[in-house]
């Protein structure tokens, strides 16, 4: 049975081609956000935000990137339920995942002081700024992918 191609892919803009200057700015912002952060942590943050935003395109991309970087299947499977599987993640990773959830779901009550304080206990000021910037960028990428009908499995980087 041939795979069905969603209509959105055929009828929506290619953001990178249509707004190349904006797209390049996002790439630059993303690259700057990652500076100094552990690549495994970067992928965990991107995976969790992509789960919350229901972005299959980004989720597929970042789980593959995490595997290529040596991430275990066990940890990848536990990201959506990390609170019930804390022993799979370091305290620093747990703090980053909690902050990712709070920022991604910011309309549900902002970023609680205790969540921010826990992140601040595990990251210095520059690191927390980069973690926040990474959360901002993945949320932006999720919105780009969802708005333009990107299809999971068609990694077009």
């Amino acid at each position: 049975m041939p795979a069905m191609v969603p209509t959105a892919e055929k009828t929506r803009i290619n953001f990178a081609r249509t707004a190349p200057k904006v797209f390049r700015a996002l790439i630059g912002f993303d690259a700057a956000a990652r500076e100094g952060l552990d690549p495994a942590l970067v992928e965990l943050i991107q995976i969790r935000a992509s789960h919350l935003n229901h972005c299959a395109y980004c989720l597929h991309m970042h789980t593959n990137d995490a595997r290529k970087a040596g991430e275990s299947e066990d940890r990848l499977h536990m990201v959506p339920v990390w609170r019930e599987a804390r022993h799979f993640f370091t305290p620093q990773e747990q703090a980053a995942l909690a902050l990712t959830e709070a920022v991604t779901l910011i309309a549900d009550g902002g970023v609680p002081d205790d969540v921010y304080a826990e992140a601040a206990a595990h990251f210095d000021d520059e690191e927390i700024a980069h973690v926040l910037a990474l959360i901002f960028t993945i949320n932006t990428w999720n919105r780009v992918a969802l708005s333009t009908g990107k299809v999971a499995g068609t990694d077009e980087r």
Side-chain angles (χ1 to χ4, degrees):
M1 173 182 252
M4 297 293 293
V5 178
T7 351
E9 182 185 356
K10 296 177 186 171
T11 61
R12 298 192 183 185
I13 64 166
N14 178 313
F15 191 77
R17 274 195 304 240
T18 308
K21 192 172 182 179
V22 176
F23 192 78
R24 283 191 305 274
L26 284 174
I27 290 171
F29 183 29
D30 186 271
R34 294 165 184 259
E35 285 181 14
L37 295 179
D38 174 22
L41 181 67
V42 167
E43 295 306 331
L44 290 176
I45 289 168
Q46 294 181 124
I47 289 166
R48 186 62 187 131
S50 297
H51 279 135
L52 295 169
N53 288 320
H54 304 276
C55 185
Y57 178 83
C58 293
L59 184 59
H60 183 264
M61 179 187 304
H62 293 296
T63 54
N64 281 338
D65 288 350
R67 281 184 196 94
K68 288 175 190 168
E71 190 60 76
S72 75
E73 289 297 319
D74 281 345
R75 282 174 35 105
L76 290 176
H77 291 296
M78 294 298 114
V79 173
V81 293
W82 68 269
R83 291 179 197 285
E84 291 78 31
R86 291 179 184 268
H87 59 286
F88 282 92
F89 305 98
T90 68
Q92 183 187 54
E93 290 168 338
Q94 292 174 43
L97 289 168
L99 187 60
T100 299
E101 291 176 356
V103 174
T104 300
L105 303 172
I106 202 157
D108 292 347
V111 177
D113 289 340
D114 63 325
V115 170
Y116 189 91
E118 185 64 22
H122 293 281
F123 298 97
D124 65 30
D125 287 351
E126 185 176 345
E127 291 169 330
I128 202 163
H130 281 264
V131 167
L132 285 168
L134 182 68
I135 297 166
F136 303 157
T137 61
I138 188 56
N139 275 279
T140 301
W141 287 124
N142 290 163
R143 282 150 179 77
V144 168
L146 289 165
S147 300
T148 61
K150 292 294 210 184
V151 177
T154 62
D155 186 351
E156 299 170 351
R157 283 182 283 181

